[in-house]
C-alpha cells in the first residue's frame, strides 16, 4: 500500500512534461506581448491621470498625433519620411561599404598569416574606442559633410564584421577542407566553395552585431552639422524641449533597429538553414 | 591500373620525440582491398594522411604509378570517419562536387552523381539536405562523393566506426559490392578485427610505438562474399573464426609486449 503513490507520481510526471512544450512555446510570446501592453497601459495611465507633466512624458495619443503631423508638415524643414530616409540612407551606405570591405579583409586575415599580422592589431586597436572619442578627429580630417557621418557608422560596423569573418574562417572544420582538397579543390576553390559558405553563419551574426552598433552610432554621427535624420531630429527637439518629438524619435529608432534585427534573423534562417543543426 | 607504392616511409610530428610511423613498406594494386588494422596510437590514420597527401613523410617515398605524391589530389579519393559533407549543398550537389571542381558541365556531372547515388542505394535521396540523413546514409553519400570524382584508388579512414553494429554490417556488404563493381583498389583503416578480416584481401596489422607493420595476411573472405556467398555464412565459417582469433591473439600479444616494455 505505502509503495503505491511513488510509481503513480513517477508516471504522472513524464506525461505532464510531454504535454507542456507546445503550451510553453506559446506562453513565451504571450509574456512578451503582455509586457509591452502593460508598459503601454502604464504609460497611458500616468499621463491620462495627469501624474506626470506632458513636458516630461507626453501621452501615447499625443505621440501618435505628433507622428501624423510630422508626416504631413515635417520637423525642421523636412518631413518625417525625409528624416527617416536620411538616417536609413546613411546606415545603408555604411553597411554596404562595411560588408564589401570587411568580409574580404576578414577572409584574408583568417587565411593569410601576413594579412593577420598587419590588420589584426589595427582592428583591435580602434575597436574598443567609443565612436564619440574619435568623432572630433574624423571631423578635422573629413569635414562636416555626409562623408564624416557615414564614415563614423562605417567604422562601427566594420570591426565586428571583420572580426567575426576572420574568426569563422580560422575555425572552418579541417575535415571539410581536407575532403575538398582530396576532391581536387585548388586554393581559390577552397575559399569559394568551403571557407566562405562555412563562415557564412558567423558572418551574418557579425553583420547583425555590426548593424546594432552602427545604428546606435547614428545619433553620434548626426551630431555633425546634420539638417536631416532621426538622430538630428531627437537632438534638435531636445534643445527646444519638444518632448513628444524626442519620444517619437526614440520609439522610431528602436522600432527600426528591431525590424533590422528580425529581418537579418530571417535572412540567416533562409541563407544558412543548417546553422545550429547537427548534421 | 593504379599501383600505389610506399617505400621505407617514416613520419614524425614536429616536436614529437618518437616517430608515429617507422619504416613502412606497402603496395596497393588492382583488385586489392588492403585493410590496415591496429590499436589507437599505431599510426593508422597517419598512414592514410600520408597517402592522401595531407601530411608529408619525414623519410621515404610514396608513388602512384611511379609518380611521387606531393599533396592531396583528386586521383586519391578519401572517405572520412565523420562524413565531412557540405551542408550548404544537397546530396546531389555533394556527390557532384568533385566533378564541379574539375569543371564538368552541370548536366553531365549530375547524371554521373545520380549513377553513383544509385550505386550506394540512395537513388531517391538526390534532393535531400545533409541534416535529413542518418549516419549510415551520410557515409554512403561520402562514398558516392569519393567515387564520383573517378579516383584511381579509394582511401577510407574508419568509415564505419561511428555507426551502430547493424548499419555497420550493411555498409561492409555495400562496400564489397561497390568495390567489386568499380574495380578500384581500396585502402581501409579500422580498429574492428571482424570488419578487417571480413573485408580484406590483404590485411596488415600495425603495432604502436612507433607504428610499424607486424604481420601481413592474404585473405579471401571478401572475394567469397563478392562471389555470392552470404555474409552470415562466411562469418560463421570455422576458417573465418580461426583467422579472427589468430589476428586477435596477435593484437593482444603486441599489447602485452608493449606493456612489458613500459613496465
Amino acid at each position: 500500500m505505502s509503495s503505491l503513490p511513488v510509481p503513480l507520481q513517477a508516471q504522472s510526471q513524464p506525461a505532464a512534461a510531454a504535454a507542456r512544450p507546445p503550451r510553453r512555446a506559446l506562453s513565451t510570446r504571450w509574456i512578451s506581448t503582455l509586457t509591452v501592453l502593460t508598459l503601454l497601459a502604464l504609460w497611458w495611465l500616468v499621463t491620462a491621470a495627469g501624474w506626470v507633466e506632458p513636458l516630461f512624458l507626453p501621452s501615447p495619443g499625443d505621440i501618435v498625433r505628433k507622428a501624423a503631423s510630422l508626416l504631413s508638415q515635417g520637423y525642421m524643414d523636412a518631413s518625417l519620411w525625409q528624416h527617416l530616409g536620411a538616417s536609413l540612407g546613411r546606415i545603408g551606405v555604411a553597411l554596404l561599404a562595411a560588408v564589401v570591405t570587411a568580409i574580404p579583409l576578414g577572409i584574408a586575415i583568417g587565411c593569410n598569416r601576413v594579412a593577420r599580422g598587419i590588420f589584426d592589431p589595427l582592428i583591435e586597436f580602434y575597436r574598443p574606442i567609443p565612436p564619440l572619442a574619435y568623432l572630433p578627429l574624423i571631423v578635422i580630417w573629413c569635414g562636416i559633410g555626409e562623408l564624416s557621418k557615414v564614415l563614423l557608422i562605417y567604422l562601427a560596423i566594420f570591426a565586428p564584421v571583420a572580426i567575426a569573418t576572420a574568426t569563422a574562417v580560422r575555425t572552418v572544420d579541417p575535415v571539410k577542407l581536407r575532403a575538398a582538397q582530396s576532391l581536387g579543390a585548388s586554393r581559390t576553390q577552397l575559399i569559394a566553395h568551403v571557407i566562405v559558405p562555412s563562415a557564412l553563419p558567423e558572418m551574418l551574426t557579425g553583420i547583425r552585431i555590426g548593424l546594432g552598433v552602427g545604428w546606435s552610432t547614428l545619433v553620434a554621427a548626426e551630431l555633425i552639422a546634420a539638417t536631416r535624420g532621426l538622430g538630428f531630429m531627437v537632438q534638435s527637439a531636445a534643445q527646444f524641449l519638444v518632448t513628444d518629438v524626442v519620444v517619437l524619435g526614440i520609439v522610431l529608432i528602436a522600432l527600426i533597429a528591431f525590424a533590422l534585427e528580425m529581418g537579418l534573423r530571417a535572412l540567416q534562417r533562409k541563407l544558412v538553414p543548417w546553422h545550429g543543426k547537427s548534421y | 591500373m593504379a599501383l600505389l607504392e610506399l617505400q621505407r616511409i617514416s613520419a614524425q610530428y614536429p616536436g614529437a620525440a618518437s616517430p608515429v610511423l617507422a619504416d613502412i613498406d606497402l603496395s596497393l594494386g588492382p583488385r586489392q582491398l588492403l585493410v590496415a588494422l591496429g590499436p589507437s596510437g599505431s599510426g593508422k590514420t597517419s598512414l592514410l594522411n600520408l597517402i592522401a597527401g595531407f601530411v608529408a613523410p619525414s623519410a621515404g617515398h610514396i608513388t602512384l604509378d611511379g609518380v611521387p605524391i606531393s599533396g592531396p589530389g583528386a586521383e586519391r579519393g578519401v572517405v572520412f570517419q565523420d562524413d565531412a559533407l557540405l551542408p550548404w549543398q544537397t546530396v546531389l550537389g555533394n556527390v557532384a562536387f568533385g566533378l564541379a571542381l574539375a569543371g564538368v558541365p552541370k548536366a553531365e556531372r549530375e547524371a554521373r552523381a545520380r549513377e553513383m547515388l544509385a550505386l550506394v542505394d540512395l537513388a531517391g535521396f538526390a534532393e535531400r539536405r545533409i541534416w535529413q540523413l542518418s549516419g549510415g546514409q551520410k557515409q554512403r553519400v561520402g562514398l558516392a562523393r569519393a567515387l564520383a570524382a573517378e579516383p584511381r584508388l579509394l582511401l577510407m579512414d574508419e568509415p564505419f566506426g561511428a555507426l551502430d553494429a547493424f548499419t555497420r554490417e550493411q555498409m561492409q556488404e555495400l562496400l564489397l559490392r561497390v568495390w567489386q563493381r568499380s574495380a578500384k583498389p581500396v585502402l581501409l583503416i579500422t580498429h574492428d578485427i571482424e570488419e578487417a578480416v571480413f573485408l580484406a584481401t590483404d590485411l596488415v596489422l600495425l603495432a604502436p610505438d612507433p607504428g610499424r607493420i607486424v604481420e601481413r595476411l592474404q585473405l579471401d573472405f571478401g572475394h567469397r562474399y563478392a562471389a555470392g556467398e552470404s555474409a552470415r555464412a562466411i562469418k560463421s565459417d570455422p576458417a573465418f573464426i580461426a583467422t579472427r582469433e589468430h589476428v586477435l591473439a596477435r593484437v593482444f600479444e603486441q599489447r602485452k609486449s608493449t606493456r612489458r616494455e613500459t613496465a
Side-chain angles (χ1 to χ4, degrees):
Chain A
M1 270 299 277
S2 64
S3 71
L4 202 61
V6 179
L8 260 180
Q9 220 173 357
Q11 248 173 357
S12 65
Q13 255 169 353
R20 211 167 291 153
R23 217 191 301 159
R24 196 185 292 154
L26 195 76
S27 70
T28 311
R29 280 273 163 85
W30 265 109
I31 292 168
S32 305
T33 315
L34 282 175
T35 309
V36 173
L37 288 177
T38 311
L39 277 174
L40 279 174
L42 266 175
W43 180 11
W44 175 83
L45 184 72
V46 294
T47 49
W51 295 339
V52 185
E53 285 286 317
L55 177 67
F56 294 110
L57 185 65
S59 74
D62 287 349
I63 302 292
V64 175
R65 274 189 292 279
K66 193 73 195 179
S69 89
L70 281 190
L71 278 175
S72 55
Q73 293 162 19
Y75 180 81
M76 291 278 163
D77 305 325
S79 78
L80 189 56
W81 287 120
Q82 283 171 320
H83 286 303
L84 233 154
S87 290
L88 285 176
R90 279 172 196 138
I91 196 146
V93 171
L95 176 70
L96 190 73
V99 167
V100 168
T101 51
I103 286 180
L105 190 76
I107 292 170
I109 293 173
C111 291
N112 184 294
R113 205 173 48 81
V114 178
R116 179 152 70 241
I118 296 172
F119 293 107
D120 205 34
L122 290 182
I123 293 175
E124 288 301 337
F125 174 74
Y126 97 80
R127 189 182 60 90
I129 307 174
L132 273 176
Y134 54 77
L135 174 63
L137 197 60
I138 289 180
V139 173
I140 293 168
W141 286 348
C142 306
I144 56 169
E146 215 39 41
L147 176 66
S148 292
K149 301 176 186 67
V150 173
L151 189 63
L152 192 72
I153 304 173
Y154 165 82
L155 285 172
I157 303 178
F158 182 86
V161 176
I163 291 169
T165 307
T167 312
V169 166
R170 241 178 306 179
T171 52
V172 170
D173 183 3
V175 179
K176 288 193 174 63
L177 291 176
R178 285 184 166 185
Q181 282 178 318
S182 72
L183 289 166
S186 65
R187 181 103 184 119
T188 40
Q189 283 176 325
L190 271 188
I191 292 175
H193 295 288
V194 183
I195 292 177
V196 169
S198 286
L200 193 57
E202 282 80 9
M203 283 183 204
L204 286 170
T205 305
I207 291 173
R208 264 168 63 192
I209 295 170
L211 207 51
V213 183
W215 192 238
S216 49
T217 315
L218 183 78
V219 178
E222 289 175 351
L223 274 172
I224 322 167
T227 54
R228 273 174 197 181
L230 288 176
F232 158 75
M233 191 179 89
V234 171
Q235 285 165 42
S236 153
Q239 279 165 1
F240 297 107
L241 282 179
V242 193
T243 319
D244 46 5
V245 176
V246 173
V247 174
L248 177 68
I250 291 171
V251 169
L252 277 178
I253 288 175
L255 282 179
I256 290 168
F258 184 72
L260 286 175
E261 171 71 15
M262 287 300 138
L264 273 171
R265 279 194 206 176
L267 190 70
Q268 203 164 18
R269 274 195 300 275
K270 193 169 157 36
L271 284 184
V272 289
W274 64 88
H275 189 47
K277 286 199 177 78
S278 64
Y279 49 82
Chain B
M1 281 304 269
L3 184 66
L4 177 79
E5 271 186 299
L6 281 73
Q7 290 166 346
R8 306 187 62 83
I9 286 295
S10 295
Q12 191 157 8
Y13 287 115
S18 59
V20 273
L21 285 170
D23 219 10
I24 303 279
D25 281 298
L26 261 187
S27 72
L28 177 63
R31 312 219 69 84
Q32 273 188 311
L33 202 165
L34 179 73
V35 176
L37 173 73
S40 52
S42 58
K44 306 185 295 285
T45 297
S46 301
L47 181 66
L48 184 130
N49 286 344
L50 286 170
I51 299 170
F54 299 141
V55 288
S58 54
H61 302 281
I62 307 177
T63 56
L64 182 61
D65 292 333
V67 183
I69 283 171
S70 61
E75 74 281 359
R76 284 153 287 139
V78 185
V79 179
F80 293 87
Q81 194 167 2
D82 37 1
D83 56 86
L85 300 173
L86 307 178
W88 44 91
Q89 295 176 337
T90 59
V91 166
L92 190 71
N94 267 284
V95 177
F97 185 47
L99 297 172
L101 291 174
V104 175
K106 192 177 162 87
E108 195 182 327
R109 66 174 189 249
E110 290 195 346
R112 174 94 188 124
R114 279 179 204 281
E115 265 174 54
M116 287 301 123
L117 280 175
L119 186 68
V120 298
D121 302 332
L122 282 179
F125 287 73
E127 305 309 325
R128 289 280 188 99
R129 306 303 304 233
I130 298 307
W131 59 86
Q132 296 168 329
L133 302 178
S134 71
Q137 287 167 341
K138 278 187 256 187
Q139 283 308 84
R140 279 190 266 169
V141 174
L143 178 59
R145 178 176 69 173
L147 285 171
E150 302 201 9
R152 308 254 291 285
L153 55 93
L154 206 54
L155 307 170
M156 306 181 81
D157 184 9
E158 297 192 32
F160 315 137
L163 304 178
D164 61 83
F166 180 68
T167 313
R168 193 182 311 162
E169 293 210 356
Q170 286 183 319
M171 290 297 293
Q172 291 164 2
E173 293 169 23
L174 176 82
L175 174 63
L176 284 175
R177 288 197 297 274
V178 170
W179 167 70
Q180 183 75 4
R181 234 183 295 175
S182 69
K184 288 188 199 305
V186 174
L187 169 72
L188 186 136
I189 305 289
T190 186
H191 57 249
D192 182 327
I193 293 169
E194 188 171 274
E195 176 171 284
V197 172
F198 179 55
L199 294 176
T201 62
D202 299 79
L203 178 67
V204 296
L205 188 59
L206 292 169
D209 301 316
R212 61 199 187 278
I213 295 173
V214 289
E215 180 150 1
R216 296 163 194 263
L217 292 170
Q218 300 235 316
L219 304 172
D220 68 339
F221 302 109
H223 278 302
R224 277 167 57 181
Y225 177 81
E229 204 170 329
S230 89
R232 289 264 54 96
I234 293 168
K235 286 184 182 174
S236 51
D237 182 339
F240 182 88
I241 295 166
T243 310
R244 197 186 64 201
E245 292 307 310
H246 169 74
V247 174
L248 192 62
R250 290 286 297 177
V251 171
F252 277 114
E253 221 171 87
Q254 282 308 319
R255 197 174 287 177
K256 247 179 273 165
S257 71
T258 49
R259 214 175 285 158
R260 221 174 293 133
E261 274 167 36
T262 52

